[in-house]
Amino acid sequence: MISETALLESATLRSTVLEHTDVLDRVKALSLLPDGMHVTTAMVAAYFGVTTEAIRQLKARHREELSRNGMLTLQGPELAQFKRDILSRYPGGYPQPRSSLTLYSRRSVLNIAMLLRDSDVARQVRVYLLDMEYQARTQPVDNPPAAASAALDARIDERITHILGRTVVPMFNALIEASSDHRQELIALRTGVQRIEKRLRQHHARLQRLESPREDRPLVGVMASMDAMNGREFEEHVATLLRRDGCTNVIVRGGNRDRGIDITALTADGRTLAVQCKRFAPHLSITSPEVQKFVGAKVLHSSEVALFVATCPFTRDARNIAAEGGITAVHRGLLEEWSAGAPLTVLQ
């Protein structure tokens, strides 16, 4: 199974999952320019919650890889045409660059998500990608011909969209510039082509949503099964993991009177253990106030070992407070490894 570290380090592994651009919208809505295809450096930075300088530095380090996946820089006549055809239609809402403009396709934005280390949004995107990769490797294929047909249809849709966006629309742009007698008719035709291109993208996105796991469908994979649990089921799952790793006197205390502790136990070597469980959606994060509350509960119960187990990431502040308070933050990635059989070091 591909790990997050391998994904961050290997361009080859990143290239194997770049077609899953739909995960961007699962984590957070990605705003696009009026052409419906690109975003600017500032828009990429806003999506990932980082500075534009961080994106520029990443672009400088990985320019070749990002360019292969749809990043381009417009200058001169190309920039003038883009400003005239696209940005001029929304002059108040988008920057008007003077000398150059870097644009990113959805594929290159996903590429950035696999390169950014200090972004919770990027980390959540990688979590989704790793879950999808796990499902693809473990789900049995009952009907290979149908799967192959669906993949072929998706490639055809993408190819048509690519041709419309990169060939047909620019051709209309050139005709509009060269023609005076039929300018309005050509503009109307171009608008129609762009509308078809947009509908194809929407159709492809709807198909992906329909084919993706839902709560009323059987889910495959370690994390997918936990995402389908309710709070009590998740606490029982964590209790099972504790027993598997040698803990004794494991008691699930969850409820309104748990006073901040969901599970208590003794480690295999006799230390007192307190556990807080949070089954949150993968796109959310555990924040510092939640960890601070658990620090107080840990002190109240005089626990020697404390675990904060969550199905989502922790913010940087939350991780720092956990470390200062002697709490082991079991984030989504670590929880996946633990559930798959790897023991937690703190319990040994």
Side-chain angles (χ1 to χ4, degrees), residues 9 14 17 24 47 52 80 95 120 132 135 143 149 156 164 170 228 237-238 259 265 277 286 293 298 313 316:
E9 300 296 338
R14 290 193 291 270
V17 294
L24 294 171
Y47 177 82
T52 54
D120 287 333
M132 293 175 68
Q135 293 178 33
N143 191 355
S149 176
I156 291 173
L164 290 176
H237 172 74
V238 174
R259 302 180 72 182
C277 300
I286 300 299
K293 180 180 177 181
K298 170 180 177 288
R316 182 180 300 176

Side-chain angles (χ1 to χ4, degrees), residues 3 21 41 54 88 91 100 175 179 207 220-221 225 231 239 241 279 304 322-323 325 337:
S3 67
T21 57
T41 301
S88 62
S100 66
L175 290 172
S179 175
L207 283 177
V220 180
S225 63
L241 295 177
R279 198 206 64 77
E304 297 172 89
E337 294 176 4

Side-chain angles (χ1 to χ4, degrees), residues 8 51 107 142 188 212 254 286-287 326:
L8 286 164
T51 64
R107 188 179 176 94
D142 295 328
S212 64
I286 300 299
T287 58

Side-chain angles (χ1 to χ4, degrees), residues 287-298:
T287 58
S288 54
E290 291 163 317
V291 178
Q292 288 172 345
K293 180 180 177 181
F294 185 49
V295 170
K298 170 180 177 288

Side-chain angles (χ1 to χ4, degrees), residues 101-117:
L101 175 65
T102 300
L103 298 175
Y104 303 82
S105 65
R106 291 174 63 86
R107 188 179 176 94
S108 58
V109 174
L110 181 59
N111 198 160
I112 289 173
M114 292 184 280
L115 294 168
L116 267 179
R117 295 176 181 270

Side-chain angles (χ1 to χ4, degrees), residues 3-293:
S3 67
E4 184 176 2
T5 301
L7 204 59
L8 286 164
E9 300 296 338
S10 172
T12 302
L13 287 179
R14 290 193 291 270
S15 67
T16 65
V17 294
L18 278 170
E19 70 273 13
H20 298 303
T21 57
D22 58 302
V23 302
L24 294 171
D25 293 314
R26 293 189 186 188
V27 173
K28 182 180 178 181
L30 176 65
S31 299
L32 299 172
L33 286 172
D35 66 349
M37 297 176 63
H38 297 101
V39 295
T40 64
T41 301
M43 294 166 75
V44 174
Y47 177 82
F48 288 113
V50 298
T51 64
T52 54
E53 182 58 29
I55 300 300
R56 291 193 182 99
Q57 291 179 4
L58 187 145
K59 178 183 70 173
R61 293 195 302 271
H62 302 277
R63 182 179 298 275
E64 183 178 349
E65 180 180 347
L66 292 171
S67 296
R68 286 198 306 269
N69 292 310
M71 184 189 77
L72 68 157
T73 299
L74 301 181
Q75 295 177 312
E78 288 184 334
L79 176 59
Q81 180 176 319
F82 189 81
K83 291 169 65 176
R84 182 172 57 250
D85 294 341
I86 305 300
L87 299 184
S88 62
R89 289 186 282 167
Y90 300 85
Y94 297 95
Q96 296 292 328
R98 294 184 178 181
S99 58
S100 66
L101 175 65
T102 300
L103 298 175
Y104 303 82
S105 65
R106 291 174 63 86
R107 188 179 176 94
S108 58
V109 174
L110 181 59
N111 198 160
I112 289 173
M114 292 184 280
L115 294 168
L116 267 179
R117 295 176 181 270
D118 296 326
S119 165
D120 287 333
V121 174
R123 191 172 297 110
Q124 291 162 26
V125 171
R126 292 195 293 271
V127 165
Y128 262 116
L129 284 173
L130 292 172
D131 278 357
M132 293 175 68
E133 188 272 341
Y134 180 86
Q135 293 178 33
R137 287 175 178 267
T138 57
Q139 189 169 14
V141 179
D142 295 328
N143 191 355
S149 176
L152 177 60
D153 289 344
R155 289 196 297 270
I156 291 173
D157 282 351
E158 290 178 0
R159 184 61 178 164
I160 292 174
T161 304
H162 176 81
I163 292 172
L164 290 176
R166 293 296 184 90
T167 304
V168 178
V169 172
M171 179 186 71
F172 274 114
N173 291 338
L175 290 172
I176 291 168
E177 288 297 313
S179 175
S180 57
D181 296 337
H182 304 286
R183 183 178 179 84
Q184 292 304 318
E185 291 90 341
L186 288 169
I187 290 175
L189 286 171
R190 182 184 65 185
T191 301
V193 170
Q194 290 173 322
R195 188 178 300 115
I196 292 171
E197 178 190 0
K198 181 178 180 180
R199 287 179 179 174
L200 278 172
R201 287 197 306 272
Q202 292 171 340
H203 172 68
H204 182 64
R206 280 196 297 269
L207 283 177
Q208 289 180 317
R209 286 195 298 271
L210 287 171
E211 294 169 357
S212 64
R214 290 202 319 246
E215 290 183 358
D216 58 345
R217 296 180 180 177
L219 298 173
V220 180
V222 174
M223 294 311 300
S225 63
M226 272 182 274
D227 289 336
M229 296 176 182
N230 59 34
R232 183 67 178 190
E233 290 170 338
F234 179 57
E235 291 169 1
E236 293 290 352
H237 172 74
V238 174
T240 300
L241 295 177
L242 294 171
R243 295 186 185 101
R244 186 201 69 193
D245 285 1
C247 294
T248 59
N249 295 346
V250 179
I251 301 173
V252 179
R253 311 163 59 96
N256 295 328
R257 298 181 180 179
D258 63 9
R259 302 180 72 182
I261 303 294
D262 292 320
I263 303 173
T264 57
L266 295 175
T267 64
D269 57 2
R271 291 171 294 161
T272 55
L273 170 67
V275 183
Q276 173 70 277
C277 300
K278 291 292 184 184
R279 198 206 64 77
F280 283 1
H283 64 275
L284 300 177
S285 295
I286 300 299
T287 58
S288 54
E290 291 163 317
V291 178
Q292 288 172 345
K293 180 180 177 181

